[in-house]
Amino acid sequence: MQRITVPTVHEGYAIGVDLGGTKILAGVVARDGSIVRRHERPTPQDSQDHVLAELEAAVAELLDDSVHAVGFGAPSPIDQENGVVVRCVNLPLENAPLRDRMHERFGIPVGLDNDANAAAIGEWRGGAGRGVDDLVMLTLGTGVGGGVISGGRPFRGRNGVGAELGHVVIVHDGRPCQGACTGHGHLEAYVSGSAATAAAREAFGPSADAHRAVRLANEGDVQAKGLLEEVGRYLGSGIGSFVNVFAPQLVVLGGGFGVAAYDYLRAPAEEVARREALEPMRSDVRLAKAELGTAAGFIGAAFVAFEALDAG
Ligand SMILES: [Zn+2]
């Protein structure tokens, strides 16, 4: 008698939660990447207990019988073995055993990832990278986050702490990096929204910022365009190296600044990236603008939840 093995397919939805510096964005997401319903609340700034309580509340708000797993994206390295959020840069959250706590509270599988990885997974599953097996995503915001999908799987490095693409050196002994990073000449110091704000202040005075530079460029200001194109060339140096390492078909640019300035960054970034990358990678690669906006993080977190569900 022939035995037919039917693979277990879990139906139902997952909740994805994106923990941001100012907001907790959460959504119920289907396996095709569509959003069933969503919820947002402010991120508390005062204590770890308060942040954890609000994360629980965000999940509880959306939870029903159709939800089979929950996933979180946090702005922190993640200890995947222990399910711990190691240390958030701008939030009171350190060595937080999020996976165990949420599993105890809700009794369903829990996935955890870095917020930039989650955004890359979101764009891969439901946005600009749909159907692509090899992609690199860079989120240009206050800092620079990176996420890599390699051979149809998220790349996370040892114990899930990779890939910090914003902290690769593009200028030896260059500008000091930001925040807790002690490095120099890192991509983040040249292409983040903060770096663009610093350049905008130098050009247009102390009240200017990156978004003002984009507005001015949209109005035809030559100096503002030049400033953004310079950022684009630095970005191209980073992208050229990532293309040589990961051989992606697609590089997705996201983040508040990355999306707003995309039209100015793209051409110079592509030009420099193609100069630095080797054949055949450089002919294959293309740049695309992220499509999901701020939803990328929680959609990706929901797919991290599906990953945990399917592994269990
Ligand atoms: Zn750095």
Side-chain angles (χ1 to χ4, degrees):
M1 196 175 87
Q2 195 181 5
R3 177 178 284 178
I4 298 167
T5 312
V6 180
T8 314
V9 177
H10 296 277
E11 299 295 335
Y13 303 131
I15 290 175
V17 182
D18 178 27
L19 173 62
T22 56
K23 277 185 270 186
I24 295 168
L25 303 178
V28 175
V29 177
R31 283 196 187 256
D32 66 358
S34 59
I35 301 166
V36 179
R37 53 187 184 277
R38 57 199 290 177
H39 172 76
E40 73 176 70
R41 55 178 59 223
T43 306
Q45 310 290 328
D46 51 354
S47 72
Q48 177 149 322
D49 281 347
H50 197 183
V51 174
L52 292 171
E54 289 300 300
L55 287 172
E56 285 185 356
V59 174
E61 182 75 32
L62 294 169
L63 192 66
D64 66 16
D65 289 346
S66 69
V67 173
H68 294 181
V70 58
F72 296 86
S76 163
I78 302 297
D79 172 350
Q80 288 289 353
E81 191 183 337
N82 298 302
V84 166
V85 175
V86 177
R87 185 174 179 273
C88 292
V89 181
N90 299 311
L91 286 172
L93 205 57
E94 202 173 329
N95 293 323
L98 200 59
R99 191 166 61 206
D100 285 354
R101 175 166 168 150
M102 293 295 165
H103 183 67
E104 277 163 29
R105 171 78 169 75
F106 298 109
I108 52 179
V110 177
L112 277 189
D113 213 334
N114 167 269
D115 59 348
N117 286 356
I121 294 167
E123 289 290 340
W124 169 47
R125 295 297 208 163
R130 224 179 240 266
V132 172
D133 282 341
D134 293 275
L135 73 83
V136 168
M137 180 168 177
L138 294 169
T139 51
L140 314 186
T142 310
V144 173
V148 177
I149 307 299
S150 183
R153 295 182 60 181
F155 169 88
R156 297 190 173 100
R158 189 185 68 80
N159 202 20
V161 292
E164 290 288 357
L165 303 184
H167 298 275
V168 301
V169 176
I170 58 163
V171 179
H172 170 70
D173 211 18
R175 294 178 196 165
C177 202
Q178 308 188 123
C181 181
T182 59
H184 289 78
H186 290 183
L187 185 62
E188 179 166 304
Y190 295 84
V191 310
S192 60
S194 313
T197 288
R201 288 190 177 146
E202 211 164 285
F204 305 111
S207 64
D209 62 10
H211 289 279
R212 168 110 183 275
V214 173
R215 280 200 301 279
L216 287 169
N218 288 341
E219 290 163 8
D221 187 292
V222 175
Q223 195 182 2
K225 281 186 188 173
L227 182 158
L228 295 172
E229 284 162 7
E230 175 79 355
V231 172
R233 282 190 288 276
Y234 281 114
L235 181 60
S237 294
I239 290 174
S241 296
F242 302 142
V243 167
N244 284 335
V245 175
F246 298 108
Q249 294 157 266
L250 187 70
V251 177
V252 180
L253 283 189
F257 172 64
V259 168
Y262 182 80
D263 290 344
Y264 303 102
L265 302 176
R266 181 192 174 152
E270 216 161 38
E271 187 191 327
V272 173
R274 287 194 199 285
R275 192 181 69 203
E276 303 302 340
L278 302 177
E279 286 293 5
M281 288 88 99
R282 74 168 169 203
S283 299
D284 291 345
V285 73
R286 60 193 173 84
L287 262 61
K289 181 160 68 172
E291 289 176 1
L292 301 176
T294 55
F298 77 76
I299 292 174
F303 279 97
V304 173
F306 284 131
E307 227 182 302
L309 176 65
D310 295 343

